[in-house]
Short mmCIF file of all heavy atoms in Angstrom, two decimals:
data_model
loop_
_atom_site.label_atom_id
_atom_site.label_comp_id
_atom_site.label_asym_id
_atom_site.label_seq_id
_atom_site.Cartn_x
_atom_site.Cartn_y
_atom_site.Cartn_z
N GLU A 23 0.81 -1.23 0.00
CA GLU A 23 0.00 0.00 0.00
C GLU A 23 0.84 1.28 0.00
O GLU A 23 0.31 2.38 -0.15
CB GLU A 23 -0.94 0.02 1.21
CG GLU A 23 -0.26 0.07 2.56
CD GLU A 23 -0.01 -1.31 3.15
OE1 GLU A 23 -0.05 -2.30 2.38
OE2 GLU A 23 0.19 -1.40 4.37
N GLU A 24 2.16 1.14 0.15
CA GLU A 24 3.03 2.32 0.19
C GLU A 24 3.53 2.75 -1.18
O GLU A 24 4.13 3.81 -1.31
CB GLU A 24 4.24 2.05 1.08
CG GLU A 24 3.91 1.91 2.55
CD GLU A 24 5.15 1.81 3.42
OE1 GLU A 24 6.28 1.82 2.86
OE2 GLU A 24 4.99 1.73 4.64
N ILE A 25 3.29 1.93 -2.21
CA ILE A 25 3.88 2.23 -3.51
C ILE A 25 2.83 2.21 -4.62
O ILE A 25 1.78 1.57 -4.51
CB ILE A 25 5.01 1.24 -3.86
CG1 ILE A 25 4.49 -0.21 -3.87
CG2 ILE A 25 6.16 1.37 -2.92
CD1 ILE A 25 5.50 -1.22 -4.36
N SER A 26 3.14 2.94 -5.69
CA SER A 26 2.34 2.86 -6.91
C SER A 26 3.14 2.15 -8.01
O SER A 26 2.63 1.30 -8.71
CB SER A 26 1.93 4.26 -7.36
OG SER A 26 3.07 5.09 -7.52
N ASP A 27 4.41 2.50 -8.13
CA ASP A 27 5.33 1.82 -9.04
C ASP A 27 6.73 2.31 -8.72
O ASP A 27 6.92 3.16 -7.86
CB ASP A 27 4.99 2.09 -10.52
CG ASP A 27 4.89 3.58 -10.82
OD1 ASP A 27 5.49 4.39 -10.07
OD2 ASP A 27 4.22 3.94 -11.80
N SER A 28 7.74 1.76 -9.42
CA SER A 28 9.11 2.21 -9.21
C SER A 28 9.33 3.51 -9.95
O SER A 28 8.96 3.64 -11.12
CB SER A 28 10.09 1.14 -9.72
OG SER A 28 11.42 1.55 -9.51
N HIS A 29 9.91 4.53 -9.27
CA HIS A 29 10.06 5.82 -9.90
C HIS A 29 11.20 6.61 -9.29
O HIS A 29 11.67 6.33 -8.20
CB HIS A 29 8.76 6.64 -9.78
CG HIS A 29 8.35 6.91 -8.36
ND1 HIS A 29 8.97 7.85 -7.57
CD2 HIS A 29 7.39 6.34 -7.59
CE1 HIS A 29 8.41 7.86 -6.37
NE2 HIS A 29 7.46 6.96 -6.36
N THR A 30 11.64 7.61 -10.03
CA THR A 30 12.61 8.57 -9.52
C THR A 30 11.84 9.65 -8.76
O THR A 30 10.63 9.54 -8.56
CB THR A 30 13.40 9.19 -10.67
OG1 THR A 30 12.48 9.82 -11.58
CG2 THR A 30 14.19 8.13 -11.42
N THR A 31 12.54 10.71 -8.34
CA THR A 31 11.86 11.81 -7.64
C THR A 31 10.78 12.41 -8.55
O THR A 31 11.02 12.68 -9.72
CB THR A 31 12.87 12.90 -7.27
OG1 THR A 31 13.85 12.33 -6.38
CG2 THR A 31 12.18 14.06 -6.56
N GLN A 32 9.57 12.57 -7.99
CA GLN A 32 8.46 13.12 -8.75
C GLN A 32 7.96 14.39 -8.08
O GLN A 32 7.62 14.38 -6.90
CB GLN A 32 7.31 12.11 -8.84
CG GLN A 32 7.64 10.87 -9.66
CD GLN A 32 6.44 9.96 -9.85
OE1 GLN A 32 5.52 9.95 -9.03
NE2 GLN A 32 6.42 9.21 -10.92
N PHE A 33 7.90 15.47 -8.85
CA PHE A 33 7.45 16.74 -8.31
C PHE A 33 5.95 16.90 -8.48
O PHE A 33 5.34 16.32 -9.38
CB PHE A 33 8.19 17.90 -8.98
CG PHE A 33 9.63 18.00 -8.56
CD1 PHE A 33 10.63 17.41 -9.33
CD2 PHE A 33 9.98 18.64 -7.39
CE1 PHE A 33 11.95 17.48 -8.93
CE2 PHE A 33 11.30 18.72 -6.99
CZ PHE A 33 12.29 18.14 -7.76
N GLN A 34 5.37 17.69 -7.60
CA GLN A 34 3.93 17.88 -7.54
C GLN A 34 3.35 18.31 -8.89
O GLN A 34 2.33 17.79 -9.34
CB GLN A 34 3.60 18.93 -6.48
CG GLN A 34 2.13 19.29 -6.39
CD GLN A 34 1.93 20.60 -5.63
OE1 GLN A 34 2.87 21.38 -5.52
NE2 GLN A 34 0.73 20.82 -5.14
N ALA A 35 4.00 19.25 -9.55
CA ALA A 35 3.50 19.76 -10.83
C ALA A 35 3.42 18.65 -11.88
O ALA A 35 2.45 18.57 -12.64
CB ALA A 35 4.39 20.89 -11.34
N ASP A 36 4.43 17.77 -11.91
CA ASP A 36 4.43 16.67 -12.87
C ASP A 36 3.29 15.70 -12.59
O ASP A 36 2.62 15.21 -13.49
CB ASP A 36 5.77 15.92 -12.81
CG ASP A 36 6.93 16.81 -13.22
OD1 ASP A 36 6.71 17.72 -14.03
OD2 ASP A 36 8.04 16.59 -12.71
N ILE A 37 3.07 15.41 -11.29
CA ILE A 37 2.02 14.48 -10.91
C ILE A 37 0.66 15.06 -11.24
O ILE A 37 -0.23 14.38 -11.77
CB ILE A 37 2.12 14.13 -9.41
CG1 ILE A 37 3.43 13.36 -9.17
CG2 ILE A 37 0.94 13.30 -8.94
CD1 ILE A 37 3.79 13.18 -7.73
N ASN A 38 0.46 16.35 -10.96
CA ASN A 38 -0.81 17.00 -11.28
C ASN A 38 -1.07 17.00 -12.78
O ASN A 38 -2.21 16.83 -13.23
CB ASN A 38 -0.81 18.44 -10.75
CG ASN A 38 -0.91 18.49 -9.23
OD1 ASN A 38 -1.25 17.50 -8.60
ND2 ASN A 38 -0.61 19.64 -8.66
N GLU A 39 0.00 17.18 -13.56
CA GLU A 39 -0.15 17.16 -15.02
C GLU A 39 -0.57 15.78 -15.50
O GLU A 39 -1.40 15.64 -16.41
CB GLU A 39 1.17 17.58 -15.68
CG GLU A 39 1.09 17.73 -17.20
CD GLU A 39 0.12 18.82 -17.62
OE1 GLU A 39 -0.06 19.80 -16.87
OE2 GLU A 39 -0.46 18.67 -18.72
N GLN A 40 0.02 14.72 -14.89
CA GLN A 40 -0.36 13.36 -15.25
C GLN A 40 -1.83 13.10 -14.94
O GLN A 40 -2.55 12.47 -15.72
CB GLN A 40 0.52 12.36 -14.49
CG GLN A 40 1.97 12.36 -14.94
CD GLN A 40 2.85 11.52 -14.02
OE1 GLN A 40 2.35 10.73 -13.21
NE2 GLN A 40 4.16 11.69 -14.13
N LEU A 41 -2.29 13.60 -13.79
CA LEU A 41 -3.69 13.42 -13.41
C LEU A 41 -4.62 14.14 -14.39
O LEU A 41 -5.67 13.62 -14.76
CB LEU A 41 -3.92 13.95 -11.99
CG LEU A 41 -3.29 13.12 -10.87
CD1 LEU A 41 -3.47 13.83 -9.52
CD2 LEU A 41 -3.91 11.73 -10.80
N LYS A 42 -4.22 15.35 -14.83
CA LYS A 42 -5.02 16.10 -15.78
C LYS A 42 -5.15 15.35 -17.09
O LYS A 42 -6.22 15.31 -17.71
CB LYS A 42 -4.39 17.47 -16.03
CG LYS A 42 -4.56 18.46 -14.88
CD LYS A 42 -3.90 19.78 -15.23
CE LYS A 42 -4.00 20.76 -14.07
NZ LYS A 42 -3.32 22.04 -14.37
N LYS A 43 -4.05 14.72 -17.56
CA LYS A 43 -4.08 13.97 -18.81
C LYS A 43 -5.00 12.76 -18.70
O LYS A 43 -5.76 12.46 -19.63
CB LYS A 43 -2.67 13.52 -19.19
CG LYS A 43 -1.76 14.66 -19.65
CD LYS A 43 -0.38 14.15 -20.02
CE LYS A 43 0.51 15.30 -20.48
NZ LYS A 43 1.89 14.83 -20.81
N LYS A 44 -4.95 12.07 -17.53
CA LYS A 44 -5.84 10.92 -17.33
C LYS A 44 -7.30 11.36 -17.34
O LYS A 44 -8.16 10.72 -17.93
CB LYS A 44 -5.49 10.22 -16.02
CG LYS A 44 -4.18 9.46 -16.05
CD LYS A 44 -3.91 8.78 -14.72
CE LYS A 44 -2.59 8.03 -14.75
NZ LYS A 44 -2.30 7.38 -13.44
N GLN A 45 -7.57 12.47 -16.63
CA GLN A 45 -8.94 12.97 -16.56
C GLN A 45 -9.42 13.41 -17.95
O GLN A 45 -10.57 13.23 -18.31
CB GLN A 45 -9.00 14.14 -15.59
CG GLN A 45 -8.81 13.71 -14.14
CD GLN A 45 -8.62 14.90 -13.21
OE1 GLN A 45 -8.53 16.03 -13.65
NE2 GLN A 45 -8.59 14.62 -11.91
N SER A 46 -8.50 14.00 -18.73
CA SER A 46 -8.84 14.45 -20.08
C SER A 46 -9.20 13.27 -20.96
O SER A 46 -10.15 13.34 -21.75
CB SER A 46 -7.66 15.21 -20.68
OG SER A 46 -7.94 15.60 -22.01
N LYS A 47 -8.48 12.16 -20.83
CA LYS A 47 -8.78 10.96 -21.62
C LYS A 47 -10.14 10.41 -21.25
O LYS A 47 -10.94 10.03 -22.11
CB LYS A 47 -7.70 9.90 -21.38
CG LYS A 47 -6.38 10.22 -22.05
CD LYS A 47 -5.37 9.10 -21.79
CE LYS A 47 -4.04 9.42 -22.46
NZ LYS A 47 -3.03 8.36 -22.19
N VAL A 48 -10.43 10.36 -19.94
CA VAL A 48 -11.73 9.86 -19.50
C VAL A 48 -12.85 10.74 -20.02
O VAL A 48 -13.88 10.27 -20.51
CB VAL A 48 -11.78 9.79 -17.95
CG1 VAL A 48 -13.19 9.45 -17.48
CG2 VAL A 48 -10.80 8.75 -17.45
N THR A 49 -12.66 12.06 -19.93
CA THR A 49 -13.66 13.02 -20.41
C THR A 49 -13.89 12.86 -21.91
O THR A 49 -15.01 12.89 -22.40
CB THR A 49 -13.23 14.46 -20.09
OG1 THR A 49 -13.03 14.58 -18.69
CG2 THR A 49 -14.29 15.45 -20.53
N GLY A 50 -12.77 12.68 -22.63
CA GLY A 50 -12.87 12.50 -24.08
C GLY A 50 -13.67 11.27 -24.45
O GLY A 50 -14.49 11.29 -25.37
N LYS A 51 -13.48 10.18 -23.70
CA LYS A 51 -14.23 8.95 -23.95
C LYS A 51 -15.71 9.17 -23.70
O LYS A 51 -16.58 8.69 -24.43
CB LYS A 51 -13.70 7.82 -23.07
CG LYS A 51 -12.34 7.28 -23.48
CD LYS A 51 -11.91 6.17 -22.55
CE LYS A 51 -10.54 5.63 -22.95
NZ LYS A 51 -10.08 4.57 -22.02
N ASN A 52 -16.03 9.90 -22.64
CA ASN A 52 -17.42 10.15 -22.30
C ASN A 52 -18.11 10.97 -23.39
O ASN A 52 -19.26 10.72 -23.75
CB ASN A 52 -17.53 10.88 -20.96
CG ASN A 52 -17.15 9.98 -19.80
OD1 ASN A 52 -17.18 8.76 -19.93
ND2 ASN A 52 -16.79 10.57 -18.68
N VAL A 53 -17.39 12.00 -23.89
CA VAL A 53 -17.94 12.84 -24.96
C VAL A 53 -18.19 12.01 -26.21
O VAL A 53 -19.22 12.12 -26.87
CB VAL A 53 -17.00 14.01 -25.27
CG1 VAL A 53 -17.44 14.76 -26.52
CG2 VAL A 53 -16.94 14.96 -24.08
N PHE A 54 -17.23 11.14 -26.56
CA PHE A 54 -17.36 10.29 -27.75
C PHE A 54 -18.57 9.38 -27.65
O PHE A 54 -19.33 9.21 -28.60
CB PHE A 54 -16.07 9.46 -27.91
CG PHE A 54 -16.11 8.55 -29.12
CD1 PHE A 54 -16.02 9.10 -30.40
CD2 PHE A 54 -16.23 7.19 -28.97
CE1 PHE A 54 -16.04 8.27 -31.52
CE2 PHE A 54 -16.26 6.36 -30.09
CZ PHE A 54 -16.16 6.90 -31.36
#
């Protein structure tokens, strides 16, 4: 429960950007 995957240092801005891209893909599927 402490890990998501193996990674180097991840900054907040990068993680937030990844979340936005995932949400955008989900939204795009819903619109389609």
Side-chain angles (χ1 to χ4, degrees):
E23 64 268 18
E24 292 187 358
I25 58 173
S26 55
D27 54 23
S28 181
H29 61 76
T30 58
T31 299
Q32 293 186 333
F33 289 95
Q34 176 197 20
D36 297 330
I37 294 169
N38 288 345
E39 186 62 30
Q40 291 171 14
L41 290 174
K42 286 180 183 178
K43 289 180 180 178
K44 288 180 181 179
Q45 290 170 354
S46 177
K47 287 181 180 178
V48 172
T49 303
K51 288 180 181 178
N52 290 339
V53 171
F54 180 71

